[in-house]
């Protein structure tokens, strides 16, 4: 760092008073201040992590600010003494304020940027520490397993020099949070153990009530089985008596039915003889009609064959006529082509050879349209 940076002097009141009475006098003072700043400030590499450099830049900007304040104050004094120069002095004051404030901001900019970066750095560490403390505020609603996971996660978290000047605070936050989580874990495990015991007692009560219900149901089932057995024995006795009565009635009914069947068989035999005679007569009549139908079918088949033969002969005749007509048509076209080929210089054999080759598709892309 340049050792002469701190030598920037604040302008005195006499020089300011003279400058207000000369054209461009204040601008000359401003330019002089800027020149001194550029000479002593530009090109210097600052290390704002060092208090000495921060104080040096702040002091330099402060002295520029004092020059601004001195010019403004002297101008205000001269304004009161020289009212005729009020507008000029106000303009010069405004000029000095704007330019020197800009110069002051320019000088402070790297320091302001460093201070903002420092503020951001600290905030990152503060947020990180808040995240370390967060489980202690949330664990009241967690179960024991979740609290154990949080303890294990936090125990594995390394607090080292990456926390910079917040390292001790981060270690304290980790220690305090772990203590709160471990306390919460003890409380939660006790609560869960109590709940488990209550659940065990509830299940024992349910099992006991279930056994009592099962015993009651078993007794009711035994009573029901005894009553059903007694009812079944009574029903069996009544069934035997009813079957005995039904057997007697069945024997009497079978006797009546045997007599009725014998009478029916006699009547059916007589009816069967009548039906047999009738069927014989119907069979004779059916044979006669079948013979008539067979002769009719033979005649119909003979007529159908004659019609088919006549139709086939007619079709063959027409086909032959069409074939002959087509042959004649092709012959006439071939003759016409032959004549044309002979007209253009071919002899008859050559022309016939060409026509034959075309008809046999031996010449590509050439055909005869018949």
């Amino acid at each position: 760092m340049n050792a002469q940076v701190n030598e920037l002097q604040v302008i005195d009141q006499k020089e300011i008073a003279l400058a207000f009475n000369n054209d461009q006098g204040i601008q000359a003072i401003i330019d002089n201040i800027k020149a001194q700043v550029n000479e002593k400030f530009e090109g210097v590499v600052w290390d704002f992590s060092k208090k000495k450099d921060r104080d040096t830049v702040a002091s330099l900007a402060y002295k520029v600010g004092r020059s601004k304040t001195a010019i403004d104050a002297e101008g205000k004094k001269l304004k009161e003494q020289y009212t005729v120069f009020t507008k000029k002095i106000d303009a010069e004051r405004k000029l000095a304020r704007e330019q020197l404030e800009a110069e002051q901001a320019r000088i402070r900019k790297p320091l302001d940027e460093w201070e903002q970066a420092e503020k951001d750095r600290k905030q990152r560490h503060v947020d990180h520490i808040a995240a370390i403390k967060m489980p202690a505020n949330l664990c009241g609603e967690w179960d024991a397993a979740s609290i154990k996971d949080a303890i294990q996660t936090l125990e594995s978290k390394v607090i080292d020099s990456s926390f910079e000047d917040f390292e001790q605070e981060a270690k304290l936050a980790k220690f305090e949070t772990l203590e709160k989580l471990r306390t919460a874990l003890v409380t939660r495990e006790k609560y869960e153990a109590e709940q488990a015991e209550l659940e065990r007692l509830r299940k024992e009560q349910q099992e006991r009530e279930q056994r009592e219900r099962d015993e009651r149901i078993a007794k009711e089932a035994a009573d029901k089985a005894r009553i059903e057995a007694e009812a079944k024995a009574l029903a069996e006795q009544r069934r035997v008596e009813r079957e005995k009565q039904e057997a007697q009635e069945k024997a009497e009914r079978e006797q009546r039915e045997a007599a009725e069947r014998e009478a029916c068989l006699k009547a059916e035999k007589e009816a069967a003889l009548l039906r047999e005679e009738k069927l014989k007569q119907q069979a004779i009549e059916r044979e006669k009609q079948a013979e008539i139908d067979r002769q009719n079918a033979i005649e119909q088949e003979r007529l159908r064959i004659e019609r088919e033969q006549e139709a086939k002969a007619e079709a063959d005749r027409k086909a032959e006529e069409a074939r002959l007509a087509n042959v004649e048509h092709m012959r006439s076209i071939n003759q016409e082509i032959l004549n044309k080929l002979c007209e253009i210089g071919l002899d008859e054999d050559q022309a016939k050879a060409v026509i034959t080759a075309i008809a046999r598709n031996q010449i590509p892309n050439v055909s005869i349209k018949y």
Side-chain angles (χ1 to χ4, degrees):
M1 183 186 71
N2 194 328
Q4 295 181 346
V5 170
N6 291 326
E7 294 177 5
L8 177 65
Q9 299 297 320
V10 178
I11 192 169
D12 60 29
Q13 293 180 344
K14 291 181 180 181
E15 187 179 354
I16 295 171
L18 291 173
F20 274 119
N21 289 310
N22 295 316
D23 291 339
Q24 299 298 319
I26 294 300
Q27 184 63 59
I29 292 175
I30 295 170
D31 292 341
N32 184 46
I33 293 172
K34 289 182 177 180
Q36 291 183 64
V37 170
N38 288 335
E39 179 183 355
K40 302 176 181 300
F41 183 83
E42 295 298 329
V44 178
V45 178
W46 304 102
D47 184 359
F48 291 120
S49 64
K50 296 180 179 180
K51 186 176 185 302
K52 182 180 179 181
D53 283 12
R54 297 199 299 274
D55 291 345
T56 298
V57 174
S59 175
L60 185 59
Y62 173 72
K63 288 183 178 181
V64 173
R66 283 189 60 191
S67 294
K68 175 200 71 173
T69 303
I71 293 171
D72 190 51
E74 186 63 25
K76 291 174 70 176
K77 186 187 296 182
L78 290 173
K79 181 182 177 182
E80 294 172 358
Q81 297 174 0
Y82 306 100
T83 56
V84 292
F85 299 110
T86 299
K87 291 184 179 181
K88 177 181 180 301
I89 293 170
D90 285 344
E92 298 289 354
R93 287 170 58 205
K94 183 175 183 294
L95 179 67
R97 284 198 307 273
E98 291 177 351
Q99 295 194 26
L100 293 180
E101 282 177 357
E103 183 67 9
Q104 183 182 11
R106 186 180 72 84
I107 295 169
R108 277 200 61 90
K109 183 179 179 182
L111 177 58
D112 290 340
E113 291 174 349
W114 181 88
E115 289 176 343
Q116 182 61 45
E118 182 69 5
K119 181 179 178 182
D120 294 342
R121 181 188 69 82
K122 291 180 179 179
Q123 187 60 46
R124 285 195 300 273
H125 290 314
V126 169
D127 293 343
H128 200 166
I129 291 171
I132 292 173
K133 294 179 178 179
M134 183 177 61
N137 299 325
L138 301 177
C139 64
E141 301 298 325
W142 294 351
D143 57 18
S146 298
I147 297 174
K148 287 179 180 178
D149 289 342
I151 291 173
Q152 184 177 1
T153 300
L154 188 54
E155 285 178 342
S156 63
K157 186 172 188 60
V158 177
I159 308 296
D160 55 16
S161 58
S162 63
F163 283 84
E164 300 176 333
D165 48 334
F166 286 81
E167 181 176 356
Q168 292 304 317
E169 184 177 348
K171 288 180 177 179
L172 180 60
K174 177 181 178 180
F175 174 78
E176 292 177 346
T177 303
L178 284 173
E179 288 298 308
K180 290 179 180 179
L181 288 174
R182 288 166 181 148
T183 300
L185 177 61
V186 171
T187 302
R188 186 67 189 187
E189 287 179 337
K190 180 180 178 182
Y191 170 78
E192 291 180 358
E194 292 173 350
Q195 293 299 311
E197 179 63 17
L198 290 174
E199 178 65 15
R200 185 186 65 78
L201 294 174
R202 184 184 65 80
K203 286 184 178 179
E204 288 181 354
Q205 176 68 18
Q206 289 178 343
E207 292 172 356
R208 184 169 56 255
E209 291 174 353
Q210 183 63 41
R211 285 195 301 273
E212 292 174 355
R213 283 194 298 272
D214 293 342
E215 291 173 356
R216 183 173 63 255
I217 291 170
K219 183 177 182 304
E220 292 173 354
D223 292 341
K224 182 179 179 181
R226 178 180 54 78
I227 294 171
E228 288 176 352
E230 293 175 354
K232 185 177 180 180
L234 179 60
E236 180 65 16
Q237 180 181 356
R238 291 176 178 175
R239 184 188 65 77
V240 171
E241 292 176 354
R242 184 174 62 254
E243 288 179 352
K244 183 178 180 182
Q245 179 66 27
E246 289 174 354
Q248 183 178 353
E249 292 175 354
K250 180 180 179 181
E252 294 174 354
R253 185 171 60 253
E254 287 176 350
Q255 289 178 355
R256 289 194 302 271
E257 290 175 353
E260 291 174 356
R261 280 196 301 274
E262 185 177 354
C264 287
L265 287 173
K266 184 178 179 180
E268 287 176 358
K269 185 176 181 181
E270 293 175 353
L273 292 173
L274 292 174
R275 283 196 302 275
E276 183 178 356
E277 185 63 27
K278 185 176 180 181
L279 289 173
K280 288 179 179 180
Q281 185 62 34
Q282 289 175 347
I284 293 170
E285 291 177 357
R286 281 197 299 274
E287 287 178 358
K288 290 180 180 180
Q289 185 62 42
E291 180 62 21
I292 293 171
D293 292 341
R294 186 176 66 80
Q295 293 299 327
N296 290 336
I298 291 171
E299 181 63 20
Q300 293 295 323
E301 181 63 15
R302 184 185 66 77
L303 294 174
R304 184 187 67 76
I305 292 171
E306 288 181 356
R307 288 194 297 272
E308 287 181 353
Q309 290 174 346
E310 291 174 357
K312 183 176 183 302
E314 180 65 18
D316 290 344
R317 184 184 63 78
K318 290 181 178 181
E320 180 62 19
E321 290 177 354
R323 186 185 67 78
L324 294 174
N326 187 53
V327 169
E328 179 61 24
H329 174 69
M330 293 175 66
R331 189 196 65 76
S332 64
I333 290 175
N334 290 339
Q335 185 62 44
E336 184 179 354
I337 295 171
L338 177 67
N339 295 335
K340 291 294 181 180
L341 292 174
C342 290
E343 289 177 4
I344 63 174
L346 298 178
D347 59 32
E348 184 175 350
D349 291 337
Q350 290 175 336
K352 287 181 179 180
V354 170
I355 294 170
T356 301
I358 293 172
R360 293 177 179 176
N361 293 322
Q362 293 175 347
I363 301 177
N365 303 317
V366 178
S367 63
I368 300 173
K369 185 177 181 181
Y370 293 102

